[in-house]
Amino acid sequence: MRARADVARVRAHRASARARTTTTATTRRPSRARAAAKTSGAATAKAERLDALLSRLGLTSRADAARFIAERVVTTDGARATERATSGKLKARAADVRVDGETLEDVDGLLIVMHKARGVVCSHDVREGTSVYDALPERWRRRKPSIESVGRLDKDTSGLLLLTDDGALVHALTTPKKEIGKWYRVKTDRPIPRDAVEVFASGELTLDGETRACKPAVCELMDDETEARLRLTEGKFHQVKRMFAFFGCTVIGLHRESFGSLTLERAGVSEPGDFKTLPLDFDFSEE
């Protein structure tokens, strides 16, 4: 009864709003959502302590840097460094450093797209079980700052997940102001009422415990009445599940299909557990 009454309230409110204005409503297009990456080459051009550089990129710890330099062939400007370089506070530009003849990877930061499998968590806490970070190379897991997920997917949710060690990029990709759309495939325990399409699109649905209404969301009902696709431009706590719970539906399956313009297929990570790197300035805008 509550859902039915609230649907009527939403409809009445929208009718009243239309009566107060003669302005034709237009759909607000998503703002251009290019990733706000660091200035290209900034970290490569900046000189920093060699031990700090190697530690930041996860190749070794600062405490073990001297041994790493002694055991590996580390060069700066073509000259081999020695373990005494760490005590002498040798500084070098990342572009000039080689380890065993190879250039340093992802100096300016990492952006990773992963096909998250069900049953794994987006947490560094080992007490929570198998984590999405467990699949990453050890050197990536040791990077400073650490790699974090761009938003979280619940343990029982699968699909497209982004990870990065760039805090500014996390903010740029998660702020609702950017209106980057994420599409989800939803499976519920009972038929989804057709009223859900209108209510989700209204921008007037306020979830329990919230004071601000959800942003307008696109809902497409499938032939199977217990399935739908949902496009969100924000990420409230357990938002998809709470939105469908408003209509008495329990979400029993949830899969993120896309993040902005990026899909699992386009990224080439079609199988659960697959991941690959993306350019830091990847353009997520939907055009």
Side-chain angles (χ1 to χ4, degrees), residues 80-152:
R80 183 165 185 174
T82 69
E83 61 269 29
R84 287 182 292 181
T86 58
S87 60
K89 300 181 180 180
L90 173 67
K91 288 190 175 183
R93 296 186 309 119
D96 299 329
V97 177
R98 303 289 185 273
V99 175
D100 297 336
E102 300 292 332
T103 57
L104 301 179
E105 297 179 344
D106 306 302
V107 174
D108 292 307
L110 272 170
L111 176 59
I112 305 160
V113 57
M114 174 181 286
H115 187 157
K116 179 189 174 297
R118 295 186 66 178
V120 296
V121 298
C122 299
S123 172
H124 290 287
D125 190 340
V126 296
R127 295 172 297 181
E128 296 188 30
T130 304
S131 164
V132 294
Y133 305 107
D134 293 338
L136 302 179
E138 184 178 358
R139 67 182 184 283
W140 288 4
R141 300 199 303 269
R142 292 197 304 240
R143 287 175 72 100
K144 299 180 181 64
S146 62
I147 292 175
E148 304 292 340
S149 61
V150 180
R152 288 192 174 195

Side-chain angles (χ1 to χ4, degrees), residues 5 37 43 46 54 77 98 103 105 148 156 195 248 251 257 274:
K46 179 183 177 182
L54 297 174
D77 276 328
R98 303 289 185 273
T103 57
E105 297 179 344
E148 304 292 340
D156 56 355
D195 289 337
V251 173
E257 296 180 330
D274 287 351

Side-chain angles (χ1 to χ4, degrees), residues 36-58:
K38 301 172 184 175
T39 302
S40 178
T44 309
K46 179 183 177 182
E48 54 187 303
R49 283 186 51 161
L50 182 58
D51 56 346
L53 172 62
L54 297 174
S55 175
R56 178 170 68 79
L57 299 182

Side-chain angles (χ1 to χ4, degrees), residues 24-30 218:
T24 301
T26 58
T27 301
R28 187 177 181 184
R29 294 189 65 187
V218 178

Side-chain angles (χ1 to χ4, degrees), residues 186-217:
V186 184
K187 174 76 172 177
T188 62
D189 66 338
R190 64 191 64 192
I192 302 166
R194 295 196 172 275
D195 289 337
V197 175
E198 181 179 356
V199 173
F200 291 168
S202 71
E204 296 164 12
L205 173 62
T206 302
L207 302 174
D208 285 342
E210 303 276 353
T211 57
R212 183 174 298 178
C214 297
K215 284 179 170 289

Side-chain angles (χ1 to χ4, degrees), residues 8-21 198 204:
R9 176 183 59 77
V10 168
R11 286 175 173 167
H13 183 83
R14 296 183 71 189
S16 175
R18 284 194 295 268
R20 290 194 302 268
T21 180
E198 181 179 356
E204 296 164 12

Side-chain angles (χ1 to χ4, degrees), residues 159-195:
L160 197 154
L161 178 69
L162 297 176
L163 305 104
T164 183
D165 56 357
D166 187 337
L169 184 54
V170 172
H171 175 74
L173 293 174
T174 56
T175 175
K177 294 180 180 179
K178 292 288 187 180
E179 294 192 343
I180 302 177
K182 279 83 69 179
W183 278 101
Y184 297 84
R185 186 77 178 229
V186 184
K187 174 76 172 177
T188 62
D189 66 338
R190 64 191 64 192
I192 302 166
R194 295 196 172 275
D195 289 337

